[in-house]
Amino acid sequence: LPAPAAPGTEIEAEFAIENLQGDDLPAGSEPVSVELTEGVDRQGDVRYNPESLDLRLEGGLSDDISYEMSSVRPDLDYRVMLDARPGNSDATYTHLPLNTVSPPVQAFLDETLRTAGADTPFEELVAIQNRFRNSGDFEYRITEASAGASVDHLTDFITRTRQGFCQQFATAFAVLARALAYPTRVVVGFLPGEVEISSDNTRLVRGTD
């Protein structure tokens, strides 16, 4: 795999797959190397997407798959992020269907940025995040609040229900970021799971994570 784009802390980890379907290989934030260590020799089936940094195993996962991985967690502080600028990106990640951002949603975005005094791209994105996470205006719920008969779920979420789970918050953030022309995509992954008491530095990550 290619060298990481920025300096960071290297993380070594071992993975053992059980009952996970699909072809995506769980990985660290920026994988540097991966070596399958058990099961049928399928090293040649490992595929890497340099744009998304995703790893997958052609032909799909199986229960006999184990692998060792090295990845890099970028060392970034607030000052570095404050000076950061969006890189060049495929228009796919800035595209929004026509009329996605309704006037009430645009007003919400304008108010959020104005109140936060956001000037840089990083400050604008953090302002949106803080509005959803720390303002007290929104509530995280395990079950989705009813949208009633609304066909504009984004407007309904931002102006009426203001309640939802990860899907509503992540999608709303992505749409608002794209409305500011920042390349954005929604990704999915796992929570850290639980530490296995019988073994040092071992975590059990289930599908419910």
Side-chain angles (χ1 to χ4, degrees), residues 15-197:
F15 294 79
I17 303 297
E18 293 183 11
N19 300 319
L20 181 64
Q21 297 181 344
D23 58 5
D24 292 317
L25 284 174
S29 59
E30 189 166 350
V32 176
S33 66
V34 58
E35 181 180 357
L36 273 61
T37 55
E38 292 185 20
V40 179
D41 182 10
R42 299 180 59 191
Q43 186 69 35
D45 294 333
V46 176
R47 299 290 183 268
Y48 174 69
N49 185 328
E51 180 180 351
S52 65
L53 308 182
D54 291 336
L55 286 170
R56 64 183 179 86
L57 190 64
E58 198 166 82
L61 303 178
S62 58
D63 286 352
D64 62 351
I65 295 298
S66 295
Y67 54 98
E68 296 177 350
M69 174 173 295
S70 176
S71 60
V72 170
R73 182 181 63 218
D75 293 333
L76 302 174
D77 59 25
Y78 186 83
R79 182 175 56 187
V80 171
M81 295 299 292
L82 195 61
D83 293 334
R85 292 293 180 271
N88 295 326
S89 177
D90 189 296
T92 300
Y93 299 122
T94 55
H95 173 74
L96 285 174
L98 188 65
N99 299 324
T100 297
V101 179
S102 66
V105 171
Q106 185 63 54
F108 169 87
L109 178 58
D110 294 341
E111 177 199 359
T112 298
L113 301 182
R114 183 174 62 254
T115 302
D119 295 319
T120 70
F122 180 63
E123 288 176 323
E124 290 186 338
L125 294 170
V126 169
I128 299 170
Q129 173 185 278
N130 287 341
R131 184 70 185 274
F132 286 138
R133 179 182 289 176
N134 302 322
S135 67
D137 295 338
F138 291 83
E139 179 186 355
Y140 179 84
R141 292 167 51 108
I142 298 300
T143 57
E144 180 181 0
S146 172
S150 173
V151 295
D152 186 347
H153 294 290
L154 178 63
T155 300
D156 197 70
F157 170 68
I158 284 178
T159 64
R160 187 179 72 82
T161 64
R162 296 198 167 193
Q163 296 176 340
F165 53 98
C166 53
Q167 178 177 319
Q168 282 73 40
F169 285 95
T171 302
F173 178 92
V175 170
L176 294 180
R178 287 191 180 193
L180 295 171
Y182 296 137
T184 311
R185 67 190 183 112
V186 176
V187 299
V188 297
F190 293 92
L191 293 170
E194 62 186 47
V195 176
E196 290 202 318
I197 299 175

